[in-house]
Amino acid sequence: MLFAGRLSPEKNIAKIAEVAKASNSVLLCVGNGYDAQNQKRICSSILKQDIIYSDWTEDITEYLDATDCFLCLSPSEGGPLTLLEALAHGTPVVSTPVGYANEYPCAIVSHSASIAECVRAIKEARQLSPWLGQQAIALAHNKLIVREKWLKMLCD
């Protein structure tokens, strides 16, 4: 499973590590952040050797290729771009109802979901997988186009 983003407490990375442990999965953790060392220490204590860290990269394709589920368990997000990238790639997504997650074929869990509920959501998300590549890519592409236009307007 994959987490990609800022390594900070508000991303709920410790809970993601607990979910990975409960589902007997290796966690690919891609990111940096102001609290990265502490978050890595916490996650490593939960997962022992079942975690692989990598610094942040703008292109998470190789990590999406290597995983079977993307997790976003943050209590709040504006619009998680990595969630769109995962969907566009055809990777199943489990997310809290943040940003625009409810608009896409994600398995949604509440902010207070238990570890067991998250593990069940992973199974649900994996069932959506064959459908994702065709349906979600168009939706995600539209969001990315809007974002690019918005950024261009700000920079001009």
Side-chain angles (χ1 to χ4, degrees):
M1 83 189 30
L2 173 67
F3 167 81
R6 186 177 65 253
L7 299 182
S8 57
E10 59 273 8
K11 295 294 187 173
N12 222 353
I13 302 164
K15 186 171 186 177
I16 290 172
E18 292 286 354
V19 171
K21 181 178 179 177
S23 63
N24 297 314
S25 297
V26 172
L27 176 62
L28 300 174
C29 189
V30 179
N32 301 45
Y34 69 88
D35 195 40
Q37 291 302 83
N38 187 47
Q39 294 302 307
K40 288 178 179 180
R41 183 186 52 74
I42 292 167
C43 289
S44 293
S45 71
I46 295 167
L47 286 168
K48 308 297 182 231
Q49 68 271 23
D50 291 334
I51 189 164
I52 300 167
Y53 297 104
S54 182
D55 287 336
W56 177 251
T57 177
E58 290 297 320
D59 183 5
I60 62 169
T61 304
E62 69 181 279
Y63 300 103
L64 291 167
D65 287 343
T67 192
D68 63 349
C69 190
F70 176 84
L71 289 143
C72 175
L73 299 181
S74 302
S76 67
E77 289 277 351
L81 186 58
T82 51
L83 184 146
L84 291 179
E85 290 173 304
L87 288 171
H89 193 75
T91 303
V93 172
V94 173
S95 179
T96 51
V98 294
Y100 36 70
N102 286 323
E103 298 174 34
Y104 294 96
C106 302
I108 303 294
V109 294
S110 72
H111 297 294
S112 61
S114 69
I115 302 301
E117 289 170 319
C118 292
V119 171
R120 280 193 296 276
I122 290 168
K123 292 176 187 169
E124 177 187 327
R126 287 176 180 152
Q127 291 174 348
L128 295 171
S129 176
W131 192 79
L132 288 175
Q134 299 158 6
Q135 299 296 318
I137 195 163
L139 295 168
H141 179 72
N142 288 339
K143 289 278 186 187
L144 291 172
I145 294 296
V146 168
R147 180 179 182 273
E148 286 175 16
K149 287 181 181 177
W150 181 78
L151 288 172
K152 186 175 180 347
M153 284 178 14
L154 287 176
C155 295
D156 287 344

